[in-house]
Amino acid sequence: MDNLFSIIIIATSIWVLIDAKKIGVKRGQISGMGNMGPWGWFFVCFFLWIIGLFFYLAKRPEFKRINTEARIVLKRKSKLSAIYWIGTVFFALFFMYFSYLMYQENTDDFSNLVRINPVPQAQQLVQQEKIVEADDYLSYFMDYQYVNQDLQVCSIVQ
């Protein structure tokens, strides 16, 4: 599971690096927190994956607008926007699902537990004349009410 997350983080960070280079992202094109070059975006996505990836996806249209002509942007905007929003939703759902699996609280589910009847094993040990072993075996179960009130167990112990 950890390997899968590592692969996803590395793959998406490399994608951000390649995509940032492809659309011409350069430091100084925008002001504020997104003022980074392709390698800056790579490291932000690598070390702060969930924040960096979605921040890059949010800033990507601004970089595209700056680096392409308005006519080309308008022509491709609907196709690329849909692809990137689908990708964003996919990664968000993917991240939430695996976060749920990884960090869900361990609940003790005792519904599958079955009571063990120690009588047959203890009787078999008595027949083999292994009285001490039979007594040790039964003493383990004597703390449980369903065993210490069983008449068969009481007859074996005596």
Side-chain angles (χ1 to χ4, degrees):
M1 182 74 87
D2 292 336
N3 292 338
L4 180 63
F5 272 122
S6 299
I7 290 169
I8 291 169
I9 290 169
I10 292 168
T12 54
S13 299
I14 290 172
W15 174 82
V16 166
L17 174 66
I18 292 169
D19 187 65
K21 285 183 177 184
K22 180 180 171 185
I23 64 173
V25 173
K26 292 180 182 80
R27 184 178 168 96
Q29 288 180 324
I30 63 172
S31 61
M33 289 180 56
N35 186 13
M36 294 180 269
W39 283 100
W41 282 109
F42 170 79
F43 287 115
V44 166
C45 288
F46 186 76
F47 291 113
L48 300 170
W49 178 68
I50 196 69
I51 297 167
L53 178 65
F54 291 108
F55 190 58
Y56 174 76
L57 291 173
K59 289 292 185 179
R60 187 179 188 280
E62 190 174 347
F63 283 117
K64 282 197 63 128
R65 184 178 42 81
I66 291 169
N67 291 317
T68 58
E69 296 175 4
R71 190 172 52 123
I72 296 172
V73 171
L74 291 175
K75 187 176 182 181
R76 293 185 179 174
K77 186 175 182 180
S78 62
K79 292 179 185 176
L80 292 177
S81 294
I83 291 170
Y84 284 101
W85 278 110
I86 290 170
T88 301
V89 169
F90 171 76
F91 281 119
L93 292 174
F94 184 79
F95 178 76
M96 287 188 296
Y97 174 71
F98 282 107
S99 295
Y100 170 75
L101 290 179
M102 284 181 55
Y103 298 110
Q104 78 182 29
E105 293 181 23
N106 291 335
T107 57
D108 294 330
D109 184 19
F110 295 109
S111 63
N112 293 330
L113 293 179
V114 179
R115 289 184 174 180
I116 297 174
N117 184 4
V119 174
Q121 178 67 25
Q123 287 175 339
Q124 185 179 16
L125 289 170
V126 168
Q127 287 174 356
Q128 295 172 358
E129 297 181 5
K130 296 180 179 179
I131 306 300
V132 175
E133 289 88 351
D135 185 48
D136 286 342
Y137 182 73
L138 282 176
S139 67
Y140 175 78
F141 291 96
M142 291 306 285
D143 292 336
Y144 300 102
Q145 187 176 10
Y146 79 96
V147 174
N148 65 21
Q149 293 179 353
D150 189 353
L151 296 176
Q152 282 184 317
V153 172
C154 293
S155 67
I156 293 172
V157 171
Q158 294 173 356

